[in-house]
């Protein structure tokens, strides 16, 4: 007995889905044993299914009724189970309990909760800060300005003077007081390119200092810093997203009342209790319970084959109601990495190819993303080899200098040229203005005397983005661009992709504001992004879709769906699939209700007994499962073609 109790205790400790699956396997085996009777047993094996599958249903229904007078589908199921057992129809009771628990398990598998990602977001906050001057605090009044004091970042006060080294994350918000650098602000704005910073410029906590050493005065520290505000945005976002209630539970009160009245009236008029019990059995909403989760499971399987990991079970139901799809730009509609878009020589002594070779050679030791992009793109072209470069110098916030073939070359921004008294002609300014208006970045190339040309870099639009936007419009949804990039860059991308609604220079809270604005207009919105700065919007949107490969873990954790392979061309298929799934669910529900009412009429007339009634309406459940399974291979023909749009 002691050993039995220990095994039972171990069994009960098996958590969640594993325990449910084990109970279903045991119950299904018991039901088959009851039918086939392979061996002689001292009891009916059906009781195993009743105990393992039926008792939890009855307990849950009783708790809901007693604590909150919550009438759900399990109330009717409990009545049918108890009535079947009372008249000796144990097999019907075990069969119904098994089917209901199977449907419940499928539903649980489709509504797995997604992680909030708060822990990972919190880890972005630097743990320490290098303080070189304290803001008049007695506990640090003996510290010298020439000495760095490393303290926990949460102990930094506004007006403290901090030093930030290359590669370090900026601990608090502040203003640069000395030094020049470039800062990677992707964590806050999603911008693909670093921003040059000089004294007087603002910097935000959580962003990364690329290379230069600088000093800054803290302006917002602790809970007021940018990264902490973002954490609060994600925490306050509506993680629940108004979960869709199962149709069987939504109609449960009416189903229970109709079933009880039908059973009672049949018993009163016919005097046959077995007919009343049969009504309760056939009225059990097994197929109704299975109608939604089986379709969702099949649609999730279909989505997986097309590169989508659905992390929230009802996300596809919500996606079917979406009227607006908001896109982040960098890493979503574009590849998120700078690439050379044009090379132009303005000196007859240099061809475009030769200028490109000198620029790539000069930048080959650069740590700046733009310099790396020039060298990478040149090497990918593969027409010329890099020249050896000597006396390489990095000038933070301006560019680089290097000596190639005994000649000094400069590559950088206009400030670099001005510092070396090299002018830019009006013709060149007009040429480059056309690029900068489109959000491109210009690297000027000069020798030690004059300007010899320039290189244009830009973020590259994904080849499939234009066709994808067109297909989404054909599904009657409105694409919107929400980006941290400047207005010119955002407008240029939107123009190429035929997106009319554009909101540029968006910080995380701005994206959140726009998402909520669309929701207030009764326009359910789907947000698609890849960066940490997109996490609050992904969490708040009716449906959040994160780019799984290029996206941050925090963005993926905040989203309902992750695009595993970053193939945005499949987004129209996912949206069309959600519509098809809802059509399948509605058909399943209509069929289930019609079958139930036909079975009730047959039960009232005495044609069906409890066992046959259970088999008939369980056959309906099988039909629902088969119909839902067709979603596994569904594909809308309009989107079957290969996408190969050249931008």
């Amino acid at each position: 007995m002691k050993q039995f109790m220990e095994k039972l205790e171990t069994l009960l400790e098996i958590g969640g889905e594993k325990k449910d699956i084990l109970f279903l396997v045991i119950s299904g085996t018991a039901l088959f044993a009851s039918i086939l009777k392979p061996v002689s047993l001292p009891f009916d094996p059906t009781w195993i299914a009743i105990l393992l599958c039926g008792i939890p249903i009855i307990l849950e229904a009783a708790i809901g009724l007693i604590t909150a007078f919550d009438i759900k589908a399990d109330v009717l199921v409990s009545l049918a189970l108890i009535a079947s057992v009372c008249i000796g129809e144990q097999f019907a009771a075990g069969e119904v309990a098994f089917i209901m628990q199977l449907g419940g398990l499928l539903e649980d598998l489709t509504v797995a909760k997604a992680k909030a990602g708060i822990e990972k977001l919190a880890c972005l906050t630097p743990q320490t800060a290098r303080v070189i001057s304290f803001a008049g605090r007695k506990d640090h009044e003996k510290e010298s300005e020439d000495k760095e004091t490393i303290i926990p970042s949460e102990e930094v006060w506004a007006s403290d003077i901090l030093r930030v080294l290359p590669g370090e994350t900026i601990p608090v918000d502040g203003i640069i007081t000395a030094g020049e650098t470039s800062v990677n602000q992707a964590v806050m704005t999603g911008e693909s390119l670093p921003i040059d910073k000089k004294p007087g410029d603002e910097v935000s906590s959580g962003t990364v200092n690329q290379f230069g050493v600088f000093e800054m005065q803290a302006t917002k520290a602790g809970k007021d810093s940018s990264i902490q505000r973002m954490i609060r945005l994600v925490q306050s976002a509506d993680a629940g997203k108004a979960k869709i209630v199962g149709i069987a539970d939504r109609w449960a009160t009416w189903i229970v009342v109709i079933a009880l009245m039908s059973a009672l009236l049949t018993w009163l008029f016919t005097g046959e209790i077995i007919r009343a019990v049969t009504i309760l059995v056939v009225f059990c909403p097994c197929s109704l319970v299975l109608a939604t989760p089986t379709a969702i499971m099949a649609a999730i399987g279909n989505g997986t084959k097309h590169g989508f990991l659905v992390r929230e079970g009802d996300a596809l139901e919500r996606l079917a109601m979406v009227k607006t799809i908001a896109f982040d730009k960098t890493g979503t509609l574009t590849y998120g990495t700078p690439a050379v878009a044009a090379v132009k020589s303005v000196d007859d002594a240099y061809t475009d190819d030769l200028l490109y070779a000198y620029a790539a050679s000069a930048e080959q030791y650069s740590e700046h993303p733009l310099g790396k992009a020039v060298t990478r793109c040149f090497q990918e072209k593969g027409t010329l080899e890099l020249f050896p470069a000597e006396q390489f110098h990095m000038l933070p916030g301006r560019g680089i200098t290097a000596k190639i073939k005994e000649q000094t070359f400069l590559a950088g921004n206009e400030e670099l040229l001005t510092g070396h008294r090299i002018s830019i002609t009006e013709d060149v300014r007009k040429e480059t203005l056309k690029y900068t208006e489109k959000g491109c970045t210009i690297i000027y190339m000069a020798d030690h005397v004059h300007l010899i040309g320039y290189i244009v870099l830009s973020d590259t639009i994904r080849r499939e983005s234009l066709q994808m936007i067109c297909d989404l419009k054909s599904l009657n949804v409105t694409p919107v661009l929400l980006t941290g990039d400047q207005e010119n860059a955002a407008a240029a991308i939107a123009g190429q992709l035929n997106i009319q609604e554009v909101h540029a220079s968006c910080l995380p809270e701005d994206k959140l504001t726009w998402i909520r604005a669309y929701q207030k207009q009764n326009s359910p919105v789907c947000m698609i992004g890849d960066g940490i700065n997109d996490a609050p919007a992904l969490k708040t949107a009716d449906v959040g879709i994160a780019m799984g490969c290029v996206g941050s873990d925090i963005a993926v954790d905040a989203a309902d769906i992750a695009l595993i392979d970053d193939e945005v061309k499949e987004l129209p298929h996912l949206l069309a699939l959600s519509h098809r799934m809802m059509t399948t669910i509605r058909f399943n529900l209509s069929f289930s209700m019609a079958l139930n009412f036909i079975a009730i009429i047959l039960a009232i007339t005495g044609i069906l007994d409890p066992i046959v009634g259970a088999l008939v309406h369980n056959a309906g459940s099988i039909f629902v499962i088969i119909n839902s399974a067709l979603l596994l291979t569904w594909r809308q023909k309009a989107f079957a073609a290969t996408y190969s749009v050249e931008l």
Side-chain angles (χ1 to χ4, degrees), residues 251-300:
W251 294 349
T253 302
W254 291 106
I255 292 174
V256 170
V257 172
I258 294 171
L260 289 176
M261 291 299 296
S262 301
L264 181 61
L265 291 174
T266 299
W267 185 20
L268 291 176
F269 281 102
T270 65
E272 297 183 24
I273 186 69
I274 196 166
R275 293 193 187 188
V277 173
T278 303
I279 290 174
L280 294 177
V281 171
V282 298
F283 227 131
C284 278
C286 292
S287 52
L288 279 175
V289 170
L290 290 170
T292 298
T294 54
I296 293 177
M297 288 284 285
I300 288 175

Side-chain angles (χ1 to χ4, degrees), residues 75 104 130 163 169 262 272 281 510 569:
V75 174
R130 300 173 184 271
R163 179 176 291 141
T169 301
S262 301
E272 297 183 24
V281 171
D510 298 322
K569 69 180 181 182

Side-chain angles (χ1 to χ4, degrees), residues 374-441:
V374 171
T375 303
R376 184 191 74 246
C377 293
F378 176 80
Q379 290 177 321
E380 289 174 354
K381 189 177 180 181
T383 54
L384 293 172
E385 294 292 328
L386 290 174
F387 301 122
E390 301 174 341
Q391 300 180 18
F392 173 85
H393 295 288
M394 193 106 177
L395 305 172
R398 289 179 287 175
I400 60 98
T401 64
K403 194 170 186 179
I404 302 172
K405 293 184 176 181
E406 303 301 321
Q407 187 174 1
T408 300
F409 289 95
L410 293 77
N413 56 23
E414 186 173 349
E415 188 176 343
L416 175 68
L417 300 186
T418 302
H420 287 75
R421 299 180 180 180
I422 297 175
S423 61
I424 300 175
T425 65
E426 284 301 315
D427 289 340
V428 172
R429 288 188 184 278
K430 290 180 181 179
E431 290 177 8
T432 57
L433 182 62
K434 294 185 296 182
Y435 292 109
T436 55
E437 286 179 344
K438 295 180 181 180
C440 298
T441 300

Side-chain angles (χ1 to χ4, degrees), residues 314-343:
D314 61 343
L316 292 179
E317 291 181 87
R318 287 184 265 118
L319 185 62
M321 297 184 288
V322 161
K323 297 179 181 178
T324 302
I325 296 186
F327 290 91
D328 173 48
K329 180 185 80 70
T330 306
T332 304
L333 295 174
T334 68
Y335 288 108
T337 54
V340 174
V343 178

Side-chain angles (χ1 to χ4, degrees), residues 360-378:
S361 300
E363 295 277 15
Q364 62 184 299
Y365 303 119
S366 174
E367 291 299 317
H368 197 289
L370 294 179
K372 289 182 177 180
V374 171
T375 303
R376 184 191 74 246
C377 293
F378 176 80

